[in-house]
Structures are given as structure tokens and as C-alpha cells.
Amino acid sequence: MTEPIFWLGFSLCLVSISLTAVLVTLIPVAQELSRAARSAEKLFDTLNREFPNTLEAIKATNIELTELSGEMKEGVKSASGAVKQIDHSLVTAKKQVENAQIKSRSFWAGLKAGIRTWQTYNN
């Protein structure tokens, strides 16, 4: 057991067995890494082809939404103006009705006073 050549040979044999075991287990790992790299490359190619089209579609949608938003703002402003005009018309109509009531009361009061005066002078 004190033979250094034996221990050297035995150590080299163990190292070579260990390296062989590592290489045997490393081969499937390398194959899987290669497959994963190919899949990633396919994914990147697909993204490279599809991403610009998707970005253009998103930009077009954004432009359409901006235009629709502007149209909605204009519609709301128009509706607001119409509501203000209707409100103004209602206020004006209310004032005219009040004036008509006052004038009709004045007319009837004047008519009653005239009838009373006429009756007083005729009696």
C-alpha cells in the first residue's frame, strides 16, 4: 500500500471515471440547452416579425381613440350648448307667462273698476 505508483494510477483511474460520469450526464444537458436555444431563436424571430405589426395596430388604435375622444368632446359641448339654449328659452317663456299673468290681472282689474265706475254713475 505504500506504492506511490499504484496510488497515482488508482487516483488517475478514479479521476477518469469521474470525468466520464460528468461527460455522460453533461451530454443530455447540452442537448436540452441546444433545443432551448433553438426554441428561443424561433420565438425571437416570431417576435421580430409580429411585434412591428402589433405596434402599428396599437398606434392606429390610439389615433382612432384620440379622434373619437375629440368627437365626444365636441358632442358634449354641442349638447351642453343645446341644454343652455333650452334653459334660456324656458326662463324667457316663464318670464313671458308671468308678464301675461300680470297683464291679464291688470286687464281684469281695470275691467272690474270700469264696470263698477259705470254702475256707480248709472245708478
Side-chain angles (χ1 to χ4, degrees):
M1 292 272 182
T2 57
E3 297 273 333
I5 301 282
F6 171 74
W7 288 112
L8 180 65
F10 185 68
S11 297
L12 287 175
C13 184
L14 286 177
V15 167
S16 66
I17 290 172
S18 299
L19 283 175
T20 304
V22 168
L23 288 176
V24 166
T25 56
L26 198 69
I27 290 172
V29 171
Q31 288 174 341
E32 287 300 317
L33 282 174
S34 174
R35 285 188 198 127
R38 276 187 249 120
S39 295
E41 185 178 359
K42 287 179 184 177
L43 174 66
F44 292 143
D45 286 342
T46 303
L47 285 176
N48 197 22
R49 277 181 280 144
E50 297 296 326
F51 199 62
N53 295 334
T54 305
L55 283 177
E56 288 300 320
I58 290 171
K59 285 179 186 177
T61 303
N62 184 28
I63 290 170
E64 290 173 2
L65 287 175
T66 303
E67 289 173 358
L68 286 174
S69 175
E71 290 174 8
M72 290 294 291
K73 284 181 184 178
E74 291 299 319
V76 168
K77 284 181 184 178
S78 175
S80 175
V83 168
K84 286 179 183 178
Q85 287 178 349
I86 291 170
D87 185 50
H88 180 69
S89 298
L90 287 175
V91 168
T92 303
K94 182 180 175 185
K95 286 181 183 178
Q96 288 175 349
V97 167
E98 288 173 356
N99 288 337
Q101 286 176 343
I102 292 170
K103 288 180 182 181
S104 67
R105 283 188 210 135
S106 298
F107 172 76
W108 288 112
L111 186 63
K112 285 179 186 178
I115 291 174
R116 283 186 197 144
T117 304
W118 184 66
Q119 287 175 349
T120 322
Y121 286 119
N122 284 335
N123 285 339

